Amino acid sequence: MTELKNKVAIITGGGGGIGSAVAQTLAANGMKIALLGGNNLEKLSATADAVRKYSDCLVIPGDLTDMEFLSGAVSQAAEYFGKIDTLINNAGVAQNTPFEAVSVAEFDRIMAINTKVPYFLTQFTLPFLRKSDAAAVINIASVVAHAGYPQQSVYTASKHALLGMTKSIANELHKENIRVHAISPGGVYTDMVKISRPDLSPDGMIMPEDIAEIVLFFLARRTNAVIDEICVHRLGKEPFQI
Ligand code: NAD
């Protein structure tokens, strides 16, 4: 097992279902947490309070798609903790719009948060990751990085792009001992799935804590057996369909 105590993780979307579960699980295993971005201060504070039961937590609210905020927030986290070992690119926005009804503004918004933000956040964090002895980036993609669901054309494009950049950046950085992984879940029981898949019943859905355990697995089992991506489907979905 890799020692996680006092390692520092930046997590985006920490006010949301998966981000909150990931933050709490990593903190329970000794990691210090920076929650980057988000404007729902109530939800961010709830996650921060839960994290602080175990570990130190820095909250930097704001709009991640503002590139000046994004690079400033990375510097702030690095200054506060003295280092950054892990980046969890988790923040995202969903969609439930027919292709013909997608506006330019909606396209730009989804691509910005789901694709541009993880790309540049990884770039801004890289100088600090280079100094870590166990650097890792974990991108929360989706089953739609592999498939194309109706009413989700931009979301699907954004997650294909996220998985594509994960592959390319992983190949650029692995010789520097920086690991770049993707997790591609199906329906997870959070606020997002209620928007994107209102037809799904909560029964049989993946829980945010399940995804948090997979993030922990990537970080804690840093062995010679490197896993690039983990795909996870909900119980009700046919096996091997993504
Ligand atoms: P969620 O809606 O609960 O959380 C999303 C988070 O992203 C929120 O905290 C929100 O504040 C944050 N966010 C969105 N836009 C932002 C912006 N411009 N600036 C700052 N923060 C912003 O949803 P979730 O299910 O926890 O989603 C987390 C990740 O998991 C997303 O990338 C999503 O695409 C992915 N995912 C979710 C599911 C699912 O079924 N829920 C399935 C596969 C992948």
Side-chain angles (χ1 to χ4, degrees), residues 13 16-18 38 63-64 90 92 113 140-141 155 159 185-188 190 192-193:
I18 294 174
D63 180 2
L64 295 167
N90 165 74
I113 185 70
I140 307 299
Y155 184 68
K159 293 295 187 179
V188 185
T190 68
M192 176 179 283
V193 83

Side-chain angles (χ1 to χ4, degrees), residues 42-236:
E42 213 173 294
K43 286 191 169 178
L44 272 177
S45 300
T47 302
D49 289 347
V51 165
R52 287 185 184 121
K53 286 182 191 146
Y54 306 105
S55 180
D56 199 359
C57 183
L58 175 70
V59 181
I60 312 175
D63 180 2
L64 295 167
T65 63
D66 174 346
M67 293 293 128
E68 261 181 54
F69 164 78
L70 197 62
S71 73
V74 172
S75 306
Q76 202 181 322
E79 198 169 311
Y80 181 83
F81 289 114
K83 61 180 187 145
I84 300 167
D85 301 287
T86 305
L87 169 62
I88 314 291
N89 280 311
N90 165 74
V93 281
Q95 175 198 13
N96 188 1
T97 335
F99 162 66
E100 66 203 48
V102 171
S103 67
V104 172
E106 185 177 20
F107 181 97
D108 287 346
R109 186 178 67 88
I110 294 170
M111 292 303 281
I113 185 70
N114 294 1
T115 303
K116 185 177 174 187
V117 166
Y119 187 93
F120 284 102
L121 184 52
T122 305
Q123 191 187 84
F124 298 151
T125 310
L126 186 55
F128 304 101
L129 295 178
R130 285 198 163 114
K131 294 181 194 152
S132 170
D133 59 0
V137 178
I138 299 178
N139 293 329
I140 307 299
S142 165
V143 281
V144 304
H146 298 273
Y149 291 0
Q151 326 292 346
Q152 299 191 24
S153 54
V154 190
Y155 184 68
T156 298
S158 74
K159 293 295 187 179
H160 270 69
L162 179 61
L163 185 60
M165 77 172 72
T166 305
K167 293 175 185 175
S168 190
I169 297 169
N171 274 291
E172 274 189 51
L173 299 183
H174 76 103
K175 287 193 180 116
E176 297 187 64
N177 196 28
I178 300 171
R179 297 191 180 182
V180 186
H181 309 281
I183 300 174
S184 295
V188 185
Y189 189 53
T190 68
D191 287 348
M192 176 179 283
V193 83
K194 293 172 202 157
I195 298 166
S196 57
R197 294 294 305 273
D199 54 308
L200 288 185
S201 138
D203 298 340
M205 257 195 236
I206 301 162
M207 296 308 287
E209 293 73 21
D210 297 322
I211 303 303
E213 287 297 327
I214 295 169
V215 171
L216 178 66
F217 173 83
F218 270 125
L219 300 178
R221 293 198 60 87
R222 193 183 175 95
T223 71
N224 291 346
V226 184
I227 299 168
D228 295 325
E229 181 190 10
I230 291 183
C231 298
V232 199
H233 69 82
R234 65 188 159 82
L235 188 62

